[in-house]
Amino acid sequence: MARPARRVAGHGHRCGVRYERFPGRRKAVPAPARAIAQPYTFGAPVAGWVTNQSLVKSKPFSAQRLENWLPTSTGIVMRGGSIKRATIGSDPVESFITYNAGGTKKIWACDETTIRDVTAPADAVTPPAASVTGQTSGYYSYVNFTTSGGSFVVAVNGTDFLQLYSTTFDWTAVNSLATYRLNFDAQTVNFTSGGTVTGGTSGATATIVKNVDNGSTGSLMIQSITGTFVDNEIITGAAGGSATANIPGGVVQVSAAITGVATSALSHVWLYRNRLFFIQGGTMKASYLPVDSVTGALGTINLSGVFQRGGSLLFGATWSLDAGDGIDDKCVFITTEGEAAIFEGSNPAGTTQAEWNLVGRYDLTTPMGKRGTMRAGGDLIVATKEGMVPISAAINKDAAALSLAAVSRNIEPDWKREAARRLSLPWEVIKWPDMNYAIVSLPITADGQEAWSFVVNLETGAWCKFVGWATRCLELHDSRLFFGTNDGKVFEGEINGNDDSGAIYYTYVGNPDHMKTLGRLKTVHQARPTFLSSTPFNPKISFSVNYRVTLPTAPDAADGGTADLWDSGQWDVAKWDQAAPAATVSGGQWISIGKTGYVVQPQLQVTGFLNRRPDVEFVQLDVTFENGGVVV
C-alpha cells in the first residue's frame, strides 16, 4: 500500500497561481498590485536660496540655486533689467553722492579724480562735465544734513579736502580757511583753479580753489584773501584769466572754516544727535562738529585705549533700540579689525556719564566696507566676513558664534567664499523699501569673477542672487536704483526687461527632495507649472536626480509681440501680449519628464529679453510620480 504524501508548510505555485502550503489547508495569495502614479506638488521656493543645510533633509520650499528670481511671500518673481544711463570715463565708478532737499534731487558719480553730475546726462556715452576735479580718491562717505543755515551734502574721502554742496554755491572744498565767492562778468580769458587772482584797482589777492565758469559770467571760489576786492575792477589770474569783478556788496562768504583737524584726514562721516561725526582715517581718533553746523572747530575723541586688536577706525554709525531717532540712540565706532565700541550721550566733550558714556566694546569680524551697513528698524546690520551681523547680536554672542545670528545664515558658505575672493574692494549694502529687498554689491576684483549681487527679501529674510549686474558701487536715488561699474559706466536697475540689450537668464534649482519616500526609487512622469503673469515668457521645466545637478540649455527668449509658447505648443490658451493686461493665473499643460532617482530636484529656466519690466511669478509645480522598490 502506498504511503500518503508528506505535507510541508511553505509556498508553491501551480498553474500560475501562488499559494501557501500548510498542513490541512491551502490559501491563494494575490499577485502584487501594479504601481499607480501619485500626485505631488513642489511649492515655489519662498524660503529662498539656502545652502547651509544637509542635502538629505533640506528646508522645505528652498532652492539650491536661485538666480534673478526674487523670493516673495507667495512665490518667486523675475527681476527687472538694467539700462546704461551715463559714462563718466574709463576709470571705475567708486561711489555715488546724492542730494535731496527743497525739491532738488541730484546724483553724482565719482571716479578717482572727478565728481560728475549724472542726474540727467545728455546721453549715456559722453561724460558730463566734471563738477569737481583734481581729486585723489573716488571712494566717498557722505551725508545730507539740514541745519538752520540751509541744506547741505558733506562728503569726505580721507585724502582730499571735505567737499560741501548747497544749491546756493555748488561744491566747495572746505579746509581750515573760510571760502568766499567772487562773482565776475565780461570774462575774456578763462580762469584756472589753484592759481592766484589779483584785483587791478585794489591790488587784493586770493587763491582760487574753484572756478564756476558760465561763459562770459561766473564765480571764483577763493580763500586766503589779502586786501579788499572792489566792484567793477579788472581781475586777472596768475595762471590765466581776465574778467570784471561783479561784487556791488563785496565778496560773499559761502563757507566758514573747519579748524582743529585738516579735513583731508577725514575719511568717514555720519550724523548722530544732530552733530556731524567723522573718522580720522588710519587712526583711532574720531572728530565731531558743533550741533547744527557744517563748519566750526572739530572736537576729537581718542579711542586708542578702548580697542584691543589694533588696526584703525573704519566707520561709525548710529544704533538705536527703537525704529526712530531719540534719546536711546547710541553712537557706534567700528575698526578695521571688527571691534565695535558703543557710546551713549549727546556731548562728547562732556564730563559726566549722562553726557558721554562708554556702554561697551564688542567683537565682530572683519567689516567688508564702510558703506556695507543697513538699518533694520532701529538695529544696525554690518556686512562682515562672517555675514550680515546685527549689532544687537554682537553684544550677546562671541565673535565665533556670530554667524549663527547672521541675517545671511542661509547662504553662509557662499557668503564666506565670496568674502574671501572679493575682499580687496569694499562692499556696499542698499535697502530698497519700495521693492522690499536689500542688495549687496559684490565688486569684481579679478579677471574671470562673475558679476553677482546678493539680494535679501526685507520681509521674509529669503535670499537670492542677481547675476549680470557688475556692481562696483550702489546708490538709491529718487526711489531708483543705480550702480557703477569698473569701466566707468552708470546703470539704472530694475527697469526694462533686458540687461542693456542683453538677455537675462532666470534659473531656479530646488533643493533635493525625497518626495516623502526616503530611500525609495521614484520616477517623475509628468509636470505642470503654475504662474501668475501679465507679460510674455517661455519657461523650461526639467529635473535633476541623485544630487547631480544638470541643467539643459536655456530656452529661447519670449517674443514680446506674440503669444508665449510652451516648448513647441501653445501655452494654455491665454494670450500674454495684450496691452497692459491684468495678471492671469494659468496651470499650463502637462509635459513629459521621465526622470528616475532616489532624490529629485525641480528646475525652472526662463530667458528674458523684453522691452518692458517682466511681471511673472512662479507659484507651484505639480507632478505625477511612481514609487519603485528598494534595490539592495
Side-chain angles (χ1 to χ4, degrees):
M1 182 176 177
R3 295 176 62 186
R6 184 182 180 188
R7 297 186 185 184
V8 180
H11 295 278
H13 292 273
R14 179 178 296 175
C15 300
V17 178
R18 184 169 180 255
Y19 63 91
E20 294 179 346
R21 276 203 305 249
F22 294 96
R25 72 177 189 273
R26 293 183 180 183
K27 182 179 179 181
V29 178
R34 292 185 58 189
I36 300 174
Q38 305 175 57
Y40 190 81
T41 296
F42 295 91
V46 293
W49 181 31
V50 181
T51 59
N52 70 329
Q53 60 185 346
S54 167
L55 294 178
V56 177
K57 195 173 183 181
S58 301
K59 185 176 182 179
F61 306 107
S62 65
Q64 189 177 53
R65 186 171 169 183
L66 197 60
E67 298 175 357
N68 295 327
W69 290 99
L70 179 70
T72 69
S73 57
T74 57
I76 56 175
V77 298
M78 294 165 63
R79 73 158 171 89
S82 58
I83 294 177
K84 183 169 64 179
R85 293 299 193 193
T87 300
I88 66 169
S90 58
D91 293 331
V93 181
E94 296 187 34
S95 59
F96 291 101
I97 299 173
T98 67
Y99 176 83
N100 184 6
T104 300
K105 297 179 180 181
K106 286 182 171 291
I107 179 169
W108 295 266
C110 312
D111 61 17
E112 185 177 17
T113 59
T114 65
I115 300 175
R116 298 177 189 268
D117 189 342
V118 293
T119 309
D123 59 68
V125 177
T126 306
S131 303
V132 177
T133 60
Q135 303 297 92
T136 58
S137 171
Y139 186 45
Y140 288 88
S141 168
Y142 79 94
V143 294
N144 279 255
F145 187 32
T146 298
T147 71
S148 56
S151 297
F152 304 90
V153 173
V154 178
V156 295
N157 64 9
T159 60
D160 301 300
F161 289 138
L162 176 149
Q163 293 288 330
L164 188 66
Y165 177 85
S166 172
T167 53
T168 58
F169 54 85
D170 200 22
W171 287 101
T172 301
V174 181
N175 56 19
S176 58
L177 301 171
T179 302
Y180 298 81
R181 183 174 62 239
L182 192 165
N183 294 331
F184 61 79
D185 55 22
Q187 179 177 241
T188 57
V189 180
N190 294 338
F191 289 91
T192 301
S193 297
T196 300
V197 60
T198 302
T201 302
S202 65
T205 61
T207 300
I208 304 173
V209 295
K210 183 177 181 181
N211 177 25
V212 181
D213 194 334
N214 299 319
S216 62
T217 64
S219 302
L220 298 179
M221 300 300 173
I222 57 176
Q223 294 176 340
S224 303
I225 300 174
T226 301
T228 303
F229 289 96
V230 297
D231 190 30
N232 289 324
E233 69 175 331
I234 300 298
I235 54 175
T236 57
S242 179
T244 300
N246 183 16
I247 48 173
V251 295
V252 178
Q253 183 174 344
V254 295
S255 173
I258 293 180
T259 60
V261 177
T263 63
S264 58
L266 306 178
S267 61
H268 184 75
V269 58
W270 75 103
L271 187 62
Y272 171 71
R273 298 283 185 96
N274 207 30
R275 288 180 189 266
L276 289 174
F277 278 73
F278 302 89
I279 297 297
Q280 296 181 29
T283 74
M284 283 292 187
K285 296 179 180 180
S287 297
Y288 57 92
L289 283 170
V291 171
D292 191 40
S293 178
V294 294
T295 55
L298 282 167
T300 295
I301 307 169
N302 192 336
L303 300 175
S304 299
V306 175
F307 297 108
Q308 302 174 5
R309 301 210 303 254
S312 59
L313 289 176
L314 181 63
F315 68 93
T318 297
W319 174 51
S320 178
L321 299 180
D322 58 29
D325 295 326
I327 59 173
D328 63 341
D329 286 357
K330 298 187 172 39
C331 193
V332 181
F333 301 88
I334 296 179
T335 72
T336 55
E337 304 306 302
E339 291 182 275
I342 300 175
F343 287 80
E344 61 184 2
S346 59
N347 182 15
T351 58
T352 66
Q353 283 194 339
E355 293 178 293
W356 191 250
N357 177 47
L358 174 63
V359 176
R361 185 204 63 83
Y362 306 98
D363 290 328
L364 300 171
T365 55
T366 306
M368 297 305 296
K370 66 181 69 172
R371 296 182 63 174
T373 63
M374 179 183 78
R375 291 285 295 271
D379 210 348
L380 176 68
I381 300 177
V382 181
T384 73
K385 289 180 67 175
E386 296 296 315
M388 294 275 287
V389 178
I391 288 293
S392 58
I395 66 176
N396 296 314
K397 292 186 179 349
D398 183 81
L402 281 177
S403 62
L404 300 176
V407 174
S408 55
R409 175 157 172 73
N410 281 351
I411 59 168
E412 180 180 356
D414 298 87
W415 182 285
K416 288 183 176 179
R417 182 183 63 250
E418 296 307 317
R421 295 173 66 205
R422 306 177 193 242
L423 187 60
S424 61
L425 288 176
W427 293 19
E428 298 186 5
V429 180
I430 289 294
K431 183 172 73 171
W432 195 357
D434 289 350
M435 297 298 291
N436 200 32
Y437 69 67
I439 180 169
V440 183
S441 71
L442 299 183
I444 296 173
T445 59
D447 292 339
Q449 286 184 350
E450 305 85 349
W452 289 352
S453 298
F454 291 152
V455 178
V456 60
N457 184 300
L458 294 174
E459 180 183 358
T460 67
W463 287 84
C464 67
K465 178 166 56 179
F466 282 4
V467 177
W469 289 0
T471 51
R472 173 67 179 262
C473 57
L474 295 163
E475 190 55 82
L476 193 65
H477 170 66
D478 198 18
S479 298
R480 298 159 61 191
L481 180 70
F482 293 87
F483 63 91
T485 67
N486 281 347
D487 58 354
K489 307 295 191 301
V490 174
F491 288 84
E492 181 178 355
E494 286 288 2
I495 191 170
N496 216 327
N498 59 80
D499 278 340
D500 199 35
S501 300
I504 306 172
Y505 296 95
Y506 302 86
T507 304
Y508 153 56
V509 177
N511 268 309
D513 194 319
H514 290 271
M515 301 175 73
K516 299 183 179 179
T517 53
L518 185 66
R520 295 190 64 177
L521 200 66
K522 58 211 43 106
T523 299
V524 178
H525 292 298
Q526 293 180 305
R528 180 184 65 182
T530 299
F531 294 90
L532 178 65
S533 174
S534 63
T535 55
F537 67 106
N538 186 32
K540 179 179 282 189
I541 299 292
S542 61
F543 277 78
S544 285
V545 297
N546 298 340
Y547 306 108
R548 298 183 64 179
V549 174
T550 303
L551 283 166
T553 58
D556 293 333
D559 184 351
T562 61
D564 208 33
L565 298 179
W566 173 259
D567 282 344
S568 57
Q570 292 289 327
W571 171 256
D572 208 11
V573 294
K575 297 290 186 180
W576 301 89
D577 60 336
Q578 305 300 314
T584 303
V585 177
S586 176
Q589 296 176 332
W590 288 98
I591 62 167
S592 177
I593 299 297
K595 280 283 191 176
T596 300
Y598 296 98
V599 61
V600 301
Q601 293 175 257
Q603 300 172 157
L604 167 63
Q605 295 167 273
V606 175
T607 302
F609 196 82
L610 298 176
N611 57 8
R612 49 185 161 158
R613 193 180 184 282
D615 179 22
V616 178
E617 181 175 14
F618 171 64
V619 179
Q620 68 184 51
L621 179 66
D622 300 318
V623 301
T624 61
F625 77 103
E626 202 173 287
N627 273 323
V630 178
V631 180
V632 295

